[in-house]
Structures are given as structure tokens and as C-alpha cells.
């Protein structure tokens, strides 16, 4: 009898200890999960986005974490495949119960939206700049870590309207986009925006992605002679062919790009033809000297990855996403709210005039869960980098 | 070890599942599938769901490519037709999910018949290119018929219901998918005991002699296309109701090739092969990812290099299987069974 009582007390003690230890360890860390496209079609950026996000959260941990709690970052590769990404999302949710999730592509965001809204209720960031995901009414838990593609077009059009090639004449612009979701996403909005700003859209050229023949599009553009031409939905090819072709035809169109075509990689591909190339980037670049956050990024890399000499702008996207996550967590902590997906989601629209140390302009989240701010840069072909052509441009 | 298995009637000789042992294991499998969602979590159920959808699709393609010898690169396109048919019927006309299942199949079958029409005059690589054209045309249609498909944004469908019961949760929909998969597998297995199925095999083995035997080649090739696309359409319907969204980018050429890989790895012309191939192509990448994920604790940085490795390992596995067993997983399974049949008294 006595022996069995001891036995029971022992079991109870072990159980109590085990449970409290489990509870304690669960409280000490905040889990951020991610399904990253490290392999597959999107690997060119996925790897860097992942590094940026991981490093950004690691820096927050170095600075003491969130109210004494450490952030734990757990990621998986999703191979840019919707089925695998959804599987990975469910697995991470089941195993680690994160309060924030990061995912690849617009498609995955759309596939997960009903379950994020109704079941998982976690703050969700992604590689996508799609307008649809930034729509707070439909997807309250989702954030776009930059201006949406439509807003990026808005920023460029605003710049074009302010800098017409001939004074007093409405600038003429062409849209050159790929026949994909990525290419078509901002176009309807861009047409409206152009009309509002008094910019005339003279041509819309649509092609497939990759090394395709662009002669017919070039001939059409030559006829319509736009002052500016904005690319959307490409990464490298066929932009170089279009620009080289336009130079051969003697056109003096200024070519512009949005986030994915504003990387050093494109300038390297363009070579001397890159002269005059411009575009919008939501973030500062690795080589910017007078930006405190870029200095912090370089210091962090020097300390933790001494072999690194350069980080592309997809790394900055990941880094900035981490900054938003940390900002929302800190806001929760300041208000003494528990850090849950629900509370984090409620913090996002309250971000006002947030100083990101120069990595972006001042961030105020307005009617959509996106940042509304970007900067126009132009190529400096000699140095092979982009330099600012405008100050930060804000959209209303 | 199995002994004393005598076939005493024609019915016994023609049975699909011939021995008590096979029947026992089949019931065991059915029971395991039945209790699986009670024990497994969301993630495992989701994996089971996409695997079962892949089984339906792969069985369909195997009817066409493995059994009739007609190569198709348009399978993903037909799945897309099924997916869109279901999504459009549900969102625009409020048709219940369960009714859209056969209708999606029929819509895809209709497309299949149209695409299959040139197959009378084309074989091998030529047919391959014709079906490739179908895939491209279908993808183009999904993107550009905006009034119906909502273009690149795709369609969102509400959670499916069945007779008023919500199938929103993974486990509930699991049973629907499993039943459809079971019916598909049984139906195609039985098909080969009918004139149609045997005609398919005759066409595959030598079309001229099949014609001499009185098989109307055109008619039966179209049957094969229709049946195969019917399964693809149903798989597409299940997929859209599982993911609750359909976009054109979900049904690319890449997916067609993946299905071809499934039936080749599994074993051409074998129903079991389609099942094993579908399981292999869906589960193994996940297993590889989980296995490599174990290293994440050691050093998070190392993962950026390890994850790309899984694609290489997976590719090597496929090549390895094909080199060492060209008849696919089904043949490996058969040999494993043959080995154990008399074990341990082989000699």
C-alpha cells in the first residue's frame, strides 16, 4: 500500500515537473514558421529572402528578443509548389504552433486564406506583392512587406507625371508585361492611376516569360514612341533583349522596372545598355552608405557571415519582413497583450509613421496591409549599381 | 507461406482478389484507411488527401498511356478542366459539390475526346506533341477566358458540403476523396476484365492486329481518352475542393510530366503501379524534406544548401529505380511477394 502511494506521488511529481517545464519552454520563445521556396523556379530569390528573414529575427534576438522572450525561426523548403507549400504550412502549424507564418507565392496565400482566417489565425507574410493578399477586408491576417505591385506602378507613374520629358506635354507610357499572374496583377490599377495622373498609356505589350522573340512588340513600341516603358512580371529575360532592341531602333524611351527587376543581377546582364534604366525599389540597397539600417545589416553579416560581401534586394525584402514581424510583436508587448496571431493582426493597421532606420521611407499602414512607399532609382552603369533618382515617394 | 490454393470454379479463377490472404490484407488496408484520420493530425491527413487525388489522376493516365499505349502530355490540362468546371458550377450556379464531381469528369472527358480525335492518325511522339498542344491551349483558355475563369486570379470556392454536412475539415473530406479513389481503382481494375479493357491492351500491343481482330481503333482510342480524362477531371474537382482555390498556375505542363513520371516509376499498364507511383511521387519528396529538416537544429545556415540537395536525391532515386527495375515499383512489389510466397521453404 505504502509503496504504491510513493509510486503515485512520484508519478504526479514527474508529471507536474514535466508539464511546468514544457509550459516554461513554450513561454520562453515565440515561434515564427516559414515555408520558403529555396528550391524550384523561385530559388533565385527564395534563398536570399530566407536568409534575410532569419538574420533579421536573429538580430532582434541579439538585442534581447521581445520582452525577454526569444524568437525561434523554423523554416522548410517548399520548392515553389502549391501542394507542398500547403502541406508544409499544416505541418509547421501542427508541430510548432507558430504565431507568425511566412509563405511563398500569391497562389499559396490564396489557397491558405480561408484556413488562416477561420482556423489558424496567424499573422502571415509572403514573398508576394499581390494586391489581393494586401486587401485587409478579405485577408486581415496577411501583410505585404512593401508596396503592392499596383502601388509600385503608382509610385513610378507619380514620378513620371512629375518628370515629363517635354514640359507641358502629357508623358506617354507603355506597359510591357508577362502573361502571368505576376505580370498582370497591377495592370488594371495602373491604367486607372495613369488616367488620374494625366499620363497617357500608349501601348501595352504582353509576352511570355523567358527568352522569347520581342520583335513585334518592339516594332509596335517604335510606332507609338512612349517616353517611358514599365516592365512587370519578368526577372531578367527578355528585358535585356527589349532594351538592346530599342537602342538598335533608335528609340529614346526610358525603361523602368518594379521590385524584381531592380536587382544588380539585371544591371550585370544589361552591361552598357543599362544606361538610363530606372525603377522602383521599396528598400535601400546593400551599397548605400548613409543608411543606418543598411549599416546594421552589414555589421550583422560581418559578425555572423564573414564570407558575405553582397546581399541582393530579395535579402532586404526578407530582412524588412522580419522587421515588420518584430515591430508587431513589440507593439503587442508594449500594450501588455499576449503575442498571438489575433493580436499581431490587430497591431498591423496601427503602424503609423514608423521609422525603419532608412531601409524604407516612413511606414504608415493605410487601407491595405502594405507599406505605400518606395523610391525611384536609376542605374549607374560605371559602378554597376542603382542610385536614388528621387526621394521616398508616398502614395495617398 | 501460402499452400492449398486451388481454383475449383471459373469464378474463382477470374476473381480479382484470388486468395484469402490477399482478401485479408485488403480488408486490413481498408480498416487502416478508415481509422487513419482518427489518429493522424491535419498534416498527415492533408498528405493522404493529395496522395489519393494523385492516385485518381495517375490511374486515369495509366489507362491511356500504360494500357492503350497513347502518350498524353495534356493530363494536367484535363485536371484543370475538371477543377474549373467544379469551381464554376459551385460559385456561379450553386451546384452541390457532389454533383459537380461527375460533371467535372464528363466535361474533362469531352475535352479528352476532342483532343484524342487525331490519335487515329498519330502515334508515339506525334501524338505526344498533339496532346502538348492541348495542354497549352487549355492553359491559355484558363488565363484568358476571364468572364468564366477570372483569369490569373482564379476562383475561390467555399468549403464543400455533402447533404448539409460541412466537409470543411481535412478528415471529413478525406473520406470523400478515399471513396472516390477506391471507386476509381476498382472500376479501372475491373475494366480489364471487359471487352473495352482488353481492346485497349490489344491496341497497345499491336494496333494493326487489333484492327484485324475487329476492334474499331478510332472508337476505342477515343474511349481511352474519354475514360482517362474523366478520371483526370474528377481528380481536378477533388483538388479544387481540397485547396478551395483554382488558378491557372496549378495545372502547368510540369504537372502533366509529373503524372507521366508517376506511372512510369510505378509501372506502366499496372493499376497497382499507378497507386505506388502516385504514393512515391507525393510522399518521397516530403520524407526527404523531413529527413533533411532534422539537420536544421544543428545549423540553420546549412539548410540553404541542404534543401536543394533533396531535388538531386529525388532525381537520383527515380533514375535508380528505372535502371534497376524498368518495370517500376509494381514489379518490385510482385517480386517481393513472390519471394515471401514460399518463404522460408524456397527449395
Amino acid at each position: 500500500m505504502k509503496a504504491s502511494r510513493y509510486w503515485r506521488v512520484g508519478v504526479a511529481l514527474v508529471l507536474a515537473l514535466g508539464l511546468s517545464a514544457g509550459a516554461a519552454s513554450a513561454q520562453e520563445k515565440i515561434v515564427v514558421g516559414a515555408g520558403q521556396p529555396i528550391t524550384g523556379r523561385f530559388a533565385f530569390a527564395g534563398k536570399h529572402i530566407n536568409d534575410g528573414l532569419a538574420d533579421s529575427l536573429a538580430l532582434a534576438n541579439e538585442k534581447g528578443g521581445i520582452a525577454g522572450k526569444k524568437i525561434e525561426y523554423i523554416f522548410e523548403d517548399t520548392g515553389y509548389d502549391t501542394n507542398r507549400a500547403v502541406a508544409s504550412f499544416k505541418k509547421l502549424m501542427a508541430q510548432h504552433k507558430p504565431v507568425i507564418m511566412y509563405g511563398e507565392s500569391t497562389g499559396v496565400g490564396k489557397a491558405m486564406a480561408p484556413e488562416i482566417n477561420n482556423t489558424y489565425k496567424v499573422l502571415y507574410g509572403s514573398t508576394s506583392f499581390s494586391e489581393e493578399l494586401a486587401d485587409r477586408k478579405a485577408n486581415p491576417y496577411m501583410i505585404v512587406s512593401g508596396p503592392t505591385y499596383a502601388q509600385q506602378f503608382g509610385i513610378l507613374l507619380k514620378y513620371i507625371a512629375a518628370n515629363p520629358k517635354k514640359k507641358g506635354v502629357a508623358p506617354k507610357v507603355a506597359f510591357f508585361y508577362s502573361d502571368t499572374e505576376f505580370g498582370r496583377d497591377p495592370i488594371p490599377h495602373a491604367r486607372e492611376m495613369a488616367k488620374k495622373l494625366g499620363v497617357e498609356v500608349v501601348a501595352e505589350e504582353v509576352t511570355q516569360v523567358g527568352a522569347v522573340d520581342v520583335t513585334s512588340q518592339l516594332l509596335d513600341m517604335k510606332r507609338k514612341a512612349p517616353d517611358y516603358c514599365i516592365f512587370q512580371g519578368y526577372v531578367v529575360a527578355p528585358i535585356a533583349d527589349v532594351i538592346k532592341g530599342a537602342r538598335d531602333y533608335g528609340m529614346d524611351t526610358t525603361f523602368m522596372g518594379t521590385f524584381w527587376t531592380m536587382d544588380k543581377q539585371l544591371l550585370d546582364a544589361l552591361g552598357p545598355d543599362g544606361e538610363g534604366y530606372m525603377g522602383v525599389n521599396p528598400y535601400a540597397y546593400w551599397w548605400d552608405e548613409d543608411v543606418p539600417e543598411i549599416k546594421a545589416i552589414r555589421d550583422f553579416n560581418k559578425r555572423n557571415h564573414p564570407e558575405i560581401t553582397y546581399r541582393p534586394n530579395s535579402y532586404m525584402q526578407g530582412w524588412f519582413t522580419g522587421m515588420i514581424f518584430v515591430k508587431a510583436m513589440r507593439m503587442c508587448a508594449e500594450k501588455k497583450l499576449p503575442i498571438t496571431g489575433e493580436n499581431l493582426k490587430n497591431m498591423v493597421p496601427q503602424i503609423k509613421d514608423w521609422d525603419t532606420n532608412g531601409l524604407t521611407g516612413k511606414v504608415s499602414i493605410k487601407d491595405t496591409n502594405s507599406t505605400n512607399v518606395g523610391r525611384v532609382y536609376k542605374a549607374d552603369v560605371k559602378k554597376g549599381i542603382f542610385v536614388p533618382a528621387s526621394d521616398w515617394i508616398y502614395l495617398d | 507461406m501460402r499452400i492449398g490454393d486451388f481454383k475449383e470454379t471459373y469464378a474463382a479463377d477470374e476473381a480479382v482478389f484470388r486468395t484469402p490472404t490477399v482478401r485479408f490484407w485488403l480488408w486490413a488496408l481498408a480498416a487502416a484507411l478508415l481509422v487513419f484520420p482518427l489518429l493522424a493530425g491535419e498534416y498527415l491527413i492533408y498528405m493522404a488527401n493529395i496522395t489519393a487525388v494523385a492516385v485518381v489522376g495517375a490511374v486515369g493516365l495509366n489507362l491511356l498511356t500504360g494500357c492503350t499505349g497513347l502518350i498524353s502530355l495534356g493530363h494536367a490540362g484535363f485536371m484543370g478542366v475538371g477543377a474549373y468546371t467544379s469551381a464554376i458550377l459551385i460559385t456561379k450556379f450553386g451546384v452541390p459539390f457532389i454533383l459537380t464531381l461527375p460533371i467535372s469528369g464528363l466535361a474533362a472527358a469531352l475535352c479528352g475526346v476532342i483532343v484524342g480525335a487525331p490519335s487515329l492518325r498519330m502515334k508515339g511522339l506525334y501524338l505526344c506533341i498533339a496532346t502538348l498542344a492541348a495542354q497549352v491551349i487549355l492553359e491559355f483558355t484558363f488565363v484568358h477566358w476571364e468572364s468564366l475563369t477570372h483569369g490569373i486570379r482564379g476562383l475561390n470556392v467555399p468549403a464543400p458540403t455533402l447533404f448539409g454536412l460541412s466537409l470543411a475539415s481535412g478528415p471529413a473530406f478525406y473520406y470523400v476523396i478515399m471513396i472516390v479513389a477506391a471507386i476509381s481503382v476498382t472500376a479501372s481494375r475491373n475494366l480489364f476484365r471487359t471487352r473495352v479493357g482488353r481492346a485497349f491492351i490489344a491496341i497497345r500491343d499491336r494496333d494493326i492486329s487489333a484492327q484485324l481482330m475487329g476492334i474499331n481503333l478510332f472508337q476505342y482510342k477515343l474511349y481511352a481518352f474519354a475514360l482517362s480524362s474523366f478520371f483526370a477531371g474528377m481528380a481536378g474537382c477533388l483538388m479544387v475542393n481540397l485547396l478551395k482555390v483554382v488558378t491557372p498556375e496549378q495545372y502547368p505542363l510540369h504537372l502533366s510530366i509529373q503524372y507521366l513520371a508517376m506511372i512510369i516509376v510505378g509501372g506502366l499498364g499496372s493499376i497497382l503501379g499507378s497507386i505506388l507511383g502516385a504514393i512515391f511521387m507525393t510522399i518521397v519528396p516530403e520524407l526527404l524534406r523531413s529527413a533533411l529538416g532534422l539537420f536544421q537544429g544543428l545549423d540553420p545556415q546549412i539548410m540553404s544548401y541542404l534543401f536543394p540537395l533533396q531535388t538531386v536525391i529525388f532525381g537520383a532515386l527515380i533514375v535508380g529505380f528505372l535502371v534497376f527495375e524498368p518495370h517500376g515499383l509494381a514489379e518490385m512489389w510482385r517480386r517481393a511477394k513472390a519471394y515471401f510466397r514460399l518463404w522460408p521453404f524456397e527449395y
Side-chain angles (χ1 to χ4, degrees), chain A residues 57-376:
Chain A
L57 297 176
L59 181 66
N61 278 340
E62 274 184 16
K63 288 181 180 167
I66 309 295
K69 290 180 198 168
K70 291 272 178 229
I71 304 168
E72 188 182 11
Y73 177 62
I74 296 169
F75 68 95
E76 279 202 342
D77 171 44
T78 53
Y80 206 67
D81 175 309
T82 307
N83 288 348
R84 280 175 64 190
V86 171
S88 159
F89 191 111
K90 295 193 174 208
K91 188 161 115 192
L92 288 170
M93 284 307 300
Q95 288 178 350
H96 302 284
K97 306 220 171 0
V99 288
I100 298 177
M101 278 295 294
Y102 188 84
E104 59 161 60
S105 82
T106 314
V108 174
K110 281 202 275 198
M112 287 314 299
E115 280 172 82
I116 291 175
N117 288 343
N118 302 321
T119 320
Y120 293 127
K121 297 185 192 291
V122 287
L123 188 66
Y124 179 83
S126 74
T127 60
S128 167
F129 290 96
S130 146
E131 216 189 337
E132 212 178 342
L133 298 189
D135 178 0
R136 191 180 305 140
K137 278 195 202 89
N139 303 310
Y141 290 89
M142 296 193 181
I143 48 165
V144 165
S145 39
T148 63
Y149 292 127
Q151 288 165 347
Q152 293 179 33
F153 262 69
I155 291 164
L156 284 176
L157 289 167
K158 222 172 153 178
Y159 175 84
I160 291 170
N163 297 284
K165 291 237 167 140
K166 287 179 214 119
K167 282 265 151 65
V169 182
K172 290 191 282 184
V173 58
F175 298 154
F176 202 113
Y177 52 92
S178 69
D179 195 10
T180 56
E181 157 146 40
F182 171 25
R184 287 177 174 270
D185 181 75
I187 300 302
H189 189 273
R191 286 185 200 128
E192 275 174 40
M193 185 83 183
K195 205 184 269 173
K196 228 182 272 170
L197 289 165
V199 175
E200 193 188 346
V201 181
V202 289
E204 286 193 24
E205 313 293 346
V206 189
T207 72
Q208 297 299 316
V209 186
V212 289
D213 178 45
V214 289
T215 319
S216 64
Q217 284 85 358
L218 273 171
L219 287 172
D220 186 53
M221 288 237 290
K222 186 174 169 17
R223 217 155 36 83
K224 289 169 180 163
D227 300 323
Y228 293 92
C229 171
I230 306 177
F231 292 109
Q232 167 69 14
Y234 307 104
V235 178
V236 176
I239 291 180
D241 295 329
V242 175
I243 294 180
K244 281 176 189 164
R247 299 284 175 260
D248 291 345
Y249 284 126
M251 294 159 63
D252 64 345
T253 305
T254 300
F255 288 93
M256 296 179 133
T258 53
F259 178 70
W260 298 109
T261 47
M262 285 306 286
D263 195 54
K264 194 171 161 29
Q265 188 191 3
L266 180 74
L267 279 190
D268 294 344
L270 281 172
D273 290 310
E275 193 62 57
Y277 182 77
M278 302 177 93
V280 57
N281 185 7
Y283 320 112
Y285 284 101
W286 171 262
W287 49 73
D288 286 341
E289 289 300 335
D290 48 352
V291 179
E293 189 67 23
I294 291 290
K295 275 194 191 125
I297 291 173
R298 287 201 228 152
D299 283 349
F300 182 88
N301 276 287
K302 203 180 268 174
R303 270 182 283 129
N304 295 286
H305 319 291
E307 75 287 1
I308 293 289
T309 52
Y310 170 69
R311 292 287 196 182
N313 63 354
S314 38
Y315 178 89
M316 303 302 164
Q317 186 196 1
W319 183 282
F320 180 62
T321 308
M323 284 175 76
I324 301 185
F325 289 166
V326 171
K327 169 83 178 163
M329 290 189 248
R330 292 231 160 97
M331 285 169 81
C332 276
E334 274 163 24
K335 297 190 174 168
K336 305 258 184 300
L337 291 168
I339 295 174
T340 61
E342 185 71 30
N343 287 332
L344 289 169
K345 164 205 101 177
N346 293 335
M347 291 307 123
V348 171
Q350 296 180 31
I351 297 177
K352 288 273 155 352
D353 293 323
W354 171 36
D355 182 359
T356 59
N357 274 337
L359 187 63
T360 69
K362 285 232 160 77
V363 173
S364 296
I365 307 279
K366 293 175 180 166
D367 344 324
T368 58
N369 282 351
S370 58
T371 64
N372 292 300
V373 56
R375 191 174 211 170
V376 178

